[in-house]
C-alpha cells in the first residue's frame, strides 16, 4: 500500500480536478487515485461489516474525505460542470464514485438548489444501496438543508406522499434525519404523517419507520408514546402491535410499560373481519 503523503495526494487531486470539463477522463483519473491508495494486501477482520454492498475500494479512511474537501471549490466555481460530473460518477459501479457524486451536488451554490433537488429526487427514485441512500441525504442535501430548508422539507413531503414504495422509504429516511433539527411546531405534522405509516400493511417501510420513531422519541417522547398508544387502540390489526413492539427500547421504563400494556390490550379481529372493515 502506498503511504499517505498529503502533498502528493493534493497533486493527484489537482490533476483530476483539471479535467472537470471532461467527465469521462475525470472518472478514469479518479479511479487511478482510488487504485493507488487501495490496500490490495489488507485483510479486514471477519466480524467487520462493510458499509456498502457495492463494489468498493479498501482505502485508508482519510483519502476519500480529503478528495471530497479538495474538490469543493470545483462545485462552487463550475456548478454546471459539477452537475455533469455527478451524473457521470453516478453511473459508476463503485461506491466511492457515487459518494463523491453526492458531495459534488451538496457543495453546489444555493443558486443551483433547484437543479440539486431535481438530481436528488431522481436518485432517490432508484433502488439504492443503503450506504448510497445515506450519502445522498447527508451529503447531497447539505447546503439545501441549511440555506433552503423549506425546499428540502417540501421534497421530503413529496416523497412521502408519492404512493411509490421506494420514494416513500427514502422520504422516511430523510424525515428521520430532519427531525432532530426541526422546530417544535413542525412535530404535530410529522406525527400525523407517521400515523399513516404505522397502520400501513407494507412491511418494506418497517426499518425506515423505526428510524423515524427513534428520532421522534428523542425529540418528544411523551407525544410519540401517546401517538403509539392511540394507534394501537384504534387498530384491530395484530401487525400494528407487532410493529410497535420494536420501538419499546426507545422509551423510558414507565412509558415502555404503558405502550406494552396497550399492545397487550389491543383488540384483534380475525383477518376476514379486518379485511371486511377495511373495504367498507
Amino acid at each position: 500500500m502506498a503511504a499517505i503523503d498529503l502533498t502528493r495526494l493534493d497533486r493527484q487531486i489537482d490533476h483530476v480536478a483539471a479535467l472537470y470539463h471532461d467527465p469521462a477522463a475525470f472518472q478514469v483519473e479518479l479511479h487511478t487515485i482510488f487504485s493507488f491508495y487501495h490496500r490490495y494486501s489488507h485483510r479486514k477482520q471477519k466480524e467487520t461489516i462493510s458499509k456498502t454492498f457495492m463494489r468498493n475500494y479498501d482505502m485508508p479512511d482519510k483519502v476519500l474525505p480529503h478528495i471530497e474537501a479538495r474538490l469543493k471549490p470545483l462545485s462552487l466555481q463550475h456548478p454546471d460542470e459539477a452537475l455533469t460530473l455527478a451524473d457521470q460518477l453516478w453511473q459508476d459501479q463503485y461506491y466511492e464514485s457515487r459518494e463523491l457524486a453526492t458531495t459534488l451536488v451538496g457543495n453546489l451554490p444555493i443558486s443551483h438548489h433547484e437543479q440539486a433537488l431535481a438530481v436528488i429526487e431522481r436518485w432517490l427514485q432508484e433502488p439504492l444501496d443503503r450506504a448510497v441512500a445515506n450519502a445522498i441525504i447527508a451529503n447531497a442535501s447539505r447546503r439545501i438543508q441549511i440555506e433552503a430548508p423549506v425546499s428540502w422539507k417540501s421534497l421530503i413531503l413529496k416523497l412521502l406522499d408519492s404512493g411509490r414504495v421506494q420514494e416513500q422509504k427514502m422520504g422516511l429516511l430523510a424525515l428521520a434525519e430532519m427531525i432532530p433539527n426541526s422546530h417544535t411546531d413542525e412535530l404535530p405534522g410529522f406525527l400525523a404523517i407517521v400515523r399513516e405509516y404505522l397502520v400501513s400493511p407494507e412491511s418494506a417501510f418497517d426499518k425506515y419507520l423505526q428510524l423515524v420513531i427513534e428520532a421522534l422519541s428523542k425529540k418528544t417522547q411523551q407525544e410519540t408514546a401517546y401517538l403509539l398508544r392511540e394507534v394501537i387502540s384504534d387498530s384491530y390489526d395484530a401487525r400494528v402491535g407487532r410493529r410497535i413492539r420494536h420501538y419499546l427500547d426507545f422509551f423510558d421504563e414507565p412509558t415502555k410499560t404503558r405502550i406494552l400494556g396497550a399492545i397487550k390490550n389491543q383488540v384483534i379481529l380475525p383477518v376476514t373481519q379486518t379485511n371486511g372493515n377495511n373495504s367498507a
Side-chain angles (χ1 to χ4, degrees):
M1 181 201 76
I4 300 179
D5 179 338
L6 292 181
T7 300
R8 175 170 53 192
L9 178 55
D10 285 345
R11 287 198 302 268
Q12 293 169 315
I13 298 170
D14 289 344
H15 174 66
V16 74
L19 299 170
Y20 71 88
H21 58 282
D22 186 344
F26 182 101
Q27 184 178 21
V28 169
E29 287 303 311
L30 183 65
H31 276 283
T32 299
I33 297 176
F34 291 159
S35 296
F36 184 81
Y37 291 98
H38 178 68
R39 297 177 290 193
Y40 290 94
S41 60
H42 179 243
R43 292 187 178 182
K44 295 182 179 180
Q45 297 293 328
K46 288 184 178 180
E47 63 272 15
T48 301
I49 300 175
S50 177
K51 66 183 291 186
T52 177
F53 291 106
M54 292 185 68
R55 298 176 69 181
N56 60 94
Y57 291 94
D58 183 6
M59 298 185 293
D61 293 338
K62 295 180 180 180
V63 174
L64 186 57
H66 193 77
I67 294 172
E68 293 172 341
R70 188 80 174 179
L71 290 177
K72 182 176 181 179
L74 193 155
S75 292
L76 293 170
Q77 297 167 12
H78 307 283
D80 294 326
E81 290 84 352
L83 278 166
T84 303
L85 283 175
D87 281 338
Q88 177 76 25
L89 295 178
W90 187 255
Q91 307 305 318
D92 204 299
Q93 298 301 307
Y94 279 80
Y95 169 79
E96 289 79 7
S97 296
R98 285 204 167 188
E99 180 176 321
L100 181 55
T102 68
T103 304
L104 288 170
V105 171
N107 287 331
L108 291 170
I110 199 61
S111 60
H112 281 62
H113 81 278
E114 290 185 2
Q115 295 96 314
L117 283 169
V119 170
I120 292 170
E121 183 176 3
R122 186 175 74 247
W123 286 348
L124 291 177
Q125 291 171 349
E126 303 176 18
L128 295 170
D129 178 89
R130 178 63 179 274
V132 175
N134 288 335
I136 294 172
I137 292 168
N139 300 341
S141 67
R142 183 182 296 122
R143 188 179 300 276
I144 296 171
Q145 288 193 51
I146 297 172
E147 299 185 36
V150 174
S151 295
W152 178 238
K153 181 179 177 181
S154 294
L155 176 58
I156 293 175
L157 295 178
K158 181 180 179 181
L159 293 169
L160 290 169
D161 196 41
S162 69
R164 292 179 288 273
V165 172
Q166 170 61 23
E167 293 172 48
Q168 290 173 298
K169 290 191 301 183
M170 296 300 97
L172 289 170
L173 185 61
L175 179 61
E177 291 296 319
M178 185 173 68
I179 286 171
N181 298 316
S182 61
H183 298 294
T184 304
D185 59 3
E186 295 179 287
L187 296 177
F190 296 157
L191 291 168
I193 291 170
V194 167
R195 171 186 281 275
E196 298 178 19
Y197 283 92
L198 285 170
V199 298
S200 170
E202 178 56 71
S203 61
F205 296 142
D206 286 351
K207 64 180 180 181
Y208 302 95
L209 184 57
Q210 186 166 336
L211 296 173
V212 175
I213 297 298
E214 182 177 12
L216 282 171
S217 69
K218 292 177 180 177
K219 190 79 173 180
T220 174
Q221 179 156 134
Q222 294 309 311
E223 288 82 355
T224 305
Y226 179 82
L227 170 68
L228 297 181
R229 297 199 310 273
E230 189 176 55
V231 168
I232 294 168
S233 176
D234 292 344
S235 173
Y236 303 115
D237 189 340
R239 291 173 297 187
V240 173
R242 289 197 295 268
R243 175 177 282 154
I244 291 175
R245 277 183 182 274
H246 292 289
Y247 311 150
L248 291 175
D249 288 341
F250 301 150
F251 299 91
D252 58 34
E253 285 301 323
T255 305
K256 183 189 299 185
T257 299
R258 288 193 291 272
I259 296 173
L260 187 58
I263 294 173
K264 291 179 178 179
N265 293 326
Q266 183 185 16
V267 177
I268 306 299
L269 295 181
V271 174
T272 53
Q273 287 183 257
T274 301
N275 290 339
N277 289 342
N278 285 345
S279 61

